[in-house]
Amino acid sequence: MAPTHTPARSDTGKRAGLDRDDIVDAALALVEANGPGALTMRKLAAELDVTTTTIYWHIGGRDELVGAVIRRLSEHLAERAIEGDTAADRVVHAALCIWDSALTNRHVTALAHREGASSLLALPMEITLLRELEVAGLHGVAARDAHQAILLCVAGFLVIALRPERAVPLGYRSEALWAEVAPHGITDATLRAQREPAELASLLPITLRAIVDAALRTVQETP
Amino acid sequence: MAPTHTPARSDTGKRAGLDRDDIVDAALALVEANGPGALTMRKLAAELDVTTTTIYWHIGGRDELVGAVIRRLSEHLAERAIEGDTAADRVVHAALCIWDSALTNRHVTALAHREGASSLLALPMEITLLRELEVAGLHGVAARDAHQAILLCVAGFLVIALRPERAVPLGYRSEALWAEVAPHGITDATLRAQREPAELASLLPITLRAIVDAALRTVQETP
DNA sequence: ACCTGAACACCGTTCAAGT
DNA sequence: ACCTGAACACCGTTCAAGT
């Protein structure tokens, strides 16, 4: 709402006195307030009281703008301390930090995810995760593979957790589809469970546990 | 290319003689040929030599069209037989069938994924997977949770595997980002590995193994 | 150096009107 | 019942022109 650029710069003579940083700030605020769909060159220009061409002059195009927005948030992302007694505990906790951060900043995360730039947002946290994997005894390709598996698992859970309310119409979501089907060879208890959404927040740590334990087991066997 | 509606129907008198099925067929062909971005009301109308309004009359809107396209492919998806000696083997294989099918039909899968309707495409295969989980001894909430964890893991891997070539500019992809960074506390071997992409096709079965084994272990302990 | 105005080539969707 | 034409409200991007 309030302009973030210093009032002292308002007397530069030129009409708007806009900074590249001001634009990125406004874009970030726009996404955080109204979701990734609101990040439009025209909406952003209107918010800043300039023409869209001004944005192009400062930034250079929508892709660059999106990248700058994600970087901006990434810089301001709080580094959380990793907790846990065992090595496996600490690895899982580092992964859950990425999950928590994604949920806290759901709109920008959704933007980054949609644009294929998730790593741009989470890189510092990914480094922390990789470090914990090395402490746990994994190195080289083994460390990278465990790292990738964990990240992709978190990404998969985020696909559902960050899915916008509207999404497809009616009920193309899993629970609705399973309510319309009566397959043979599946018990009623399971079918009933399938018709309500899983609790991702409790399912994720369990799943990560399984992946981490399996990865660390390989290092135990080859000492 | 060639019209799929029977020539016998061409003498209905009305101008185009278009069927709802013809439209869905053309839309599916459009996506499979040129990717999800090519599914546009206007492009589709041009392909069928009609106005966009004709599409609206037969289908009712873009969301319904997308749903119909996904359903169409889903019907024509080959049911593959599940292989494997042990219960865990068969569960993993059922999950890998979903992965393989997604890669084979990458464009429509990307469309379904982007629209939040992945389950609409994979439902028959998901049922097969759930059945194998029951054979393995899981029921009710436990079966659903294992099912969900497996599907979300596959979904996470697909996010990377189906990422369009263009995506974000320059290098916002993981490998490029890790090439620009030199974090402390991480060995050179690991850093070097991080700078080239992981082999998802071999990493996925290993990861699924870990999840499935952990899930089946809980049923072993409580007989 | 910084910004505007007008234009181009796209979108999805609707509405009155034709046969 | 089936289809057209014109219009509305959006997009990203570019280019000549102003100060």
Side-chain angles (χ1 to χ4, degrees):
Chain A
M1 294 263 170
T4 12
H5 57 275
T6 76
R9 281 185 61 269
S10 72
D11 56 346
T12 39
K14 303 298 175 189
R15 235 2 179 311
L18 260 190
D19 204 313
R20 203 192 121 101
D21 278 348
D22 298 333
I23 295 178
V24 177
D25 281 339
L28 177 58
L30 208 57
V31 174
E32 289 187 324
N34 305 324
L39 185 52
T40 284
M41 306 302 273
R42 297 178 126 96
K43 284 201 179 84
L44 179 57
E47 193 81 11
L48 291 165
D49 255 310
V50 290
T51 341
T52 55
T53 29
T54 304
I55 315 273
Y56 281 88
W57 195 90
H58 282 287
I59 305 279
R62 193 176 183 274
D63 285 347
E64 285 90 330
L65 177 64
V66 169
V69 167
I70 297 172
R71 276 186 204 275
R72 176 64 44 95
L73 178 63
S74 173
E75 294 161 6
H76 294 345
L77 237 46
E79 277 285 343
R80 278 175 49 185
I82 303 302
E83 301 166 8
D85 296 332
T86 71
D89 280 343
R90 297 175 62 83
V91 170
V92 170
H93 184 255
L96 289 177
C97 280
I98 299 178
W99 163 262
D100 285 338
S101 171
L103 291 186
T104 304
N105 309 99
R106 50 164 44 237
H107 283 154
V108 180
T109 304
L111 175 68
H113 180 261
R114 174 194 298 190
E115 231 77 26
S118 331
S119 290
L120 190 58
L121 182 60
L123 192 61
M125 288 181 285
E126 291 185 10
I127 292 174
T128 302
L129 171 62
L130 189 56
R131 196 149 32 211
E132 292 297 335
L133 282 168
E134 286 222 310
V135 173
L138 290 176
H139 298 280
V141 173
R144 181 202 61 191
D145 282 356
H147 185 243
Q148 277 283 355
I150 291 167
L151 286 179
L152 294 184
C153 182
V154 172
F157 275 67
L158 283 175
V159 168
I160 301 298
L162 297 182
R163 184 163 49 183
E165 304 306 327
R166 56 157 303 274
V168 276
L170 312 155
Y172 288 173
R173 35 183 14 107
S174 183
E175 309 93 70
L177 291 169
W178 281 91
E180 293 171 359
V181 99
H184 70 274
I186 291 181
T187 61
D188 279 353
T190 301
L191 219 49
R192 243 177 293 120
Q194 202 75 35
R195 280 171 191 152
E196 46 192 84
E199 291 177 29
L200 300 184
S202 61
L203 184 56
L204 179 59
I206 296 173
T207 307
L208 289 174
R209 247 293 154 194
I211 297 175
V212 172
D213 282 349
L216 296 189
R217 215 172 292 130
T218 65
V219 87
Q220 225 74 348
E221 289 159 2
T222 50
Chain B
M1 293 264 170
T4 11
H5 57 274
T6 77
R9 282 184 61 267
S10 72
D11 56 345
T12 38
K14 304 296 176 187
R15 236 2 178 315
L18 260 189
D19 205 312
R20 201 193 122 102
D21 278 348
D22 298 332
I23 295 178
V24 177
D25 281 339
L28 177 58
L30 208 57
V31 173
E32 288 186 327
N34 306 323
L39 184 52
T40 281
M41 305 303 274
R42 296 177 125 97
K43 284 203 179 82
L44 179 57
E47 192 81 11
L48 291 165
D49 255 308
V50 291
T51 341
T52 55
T53 29
T54 305
I55 316 273
Y56 281 88
W57 195 90
H58 282 288
I59 305 279
R62 193 176 183 274
D63 286 347
E64 285 91 331
L65 176 64
V66 169
V69 167
I70 297 173
R71 275 184 206 274
R72 176 64 45 92
L73 178 61
S74 173
E75 292 161 8
H76 294 344
L77 237 44
E79 279 283 343
R80 278 175 48 187
I82 303 302
E83 302 166 8
D85 296 333
T86 70
D89 280 342
R90 296 175 64 83
V91 170
V92 170
H93 185 255
L96 288 177
C97 282
I98 299 179
W99 163 262
D100 285 338
S101 171
L103 290 187
T104 304
N105 309 100
R106 49 166 42 239
H107 283 156
V108 180
T109 304
L111 176 68
H113 178 261
R114 176 194 296 192
E115 230 77 26
S118 332
S119 289
L120 189 58
L121 183 58
L123 192 61
M125 288 181 286
E126 290 185 10
I127 292 173
T128 303
L129 171 62
L130 188 56
R131 197 152 30 215
E132 291 298 335
L133 282 168
E134 287 221 311
V135 173
L138 290 176
H139 298 279
V141 174
R144 180 200 64 191
D145 283 355
H147 185 244
Q148 277 283 354
I150 291 167
L151 287 179
L152 294 185
C153 183
V154 172
F157 275 67
L158 283 174
V159 168
I160 302 297
L162 297 181
R163 185 164 46 183
E165 304 304 326
R166 57 158 299 276
V168 275
L170 312 155
Y172 288 174
R173 37 186 8 110
S174 183
E175 310 92 68
L177 291 170
W178 281 90
E180 293 172 358
V181 100
H184 70 274
I186 291 181
T187 62
D188 278 353
T190 301
L191 217 49
R192 240 178 295 120
Q194 201 77 35
R195 280 171 191 151
E196 45 193 86
E199 291 176 30
L200 300 183
S202 62
L203 184 55
L204 179 59
I206 297 172
T207 307
L208 289 174
R209 247 294 153 194
I211 296 174
V212 171
D213 283 349
L216 295 189
R217 216 171 292 130
T218 65
V219 88
Q220 227 74 347
E221 290 160 359
T222 50

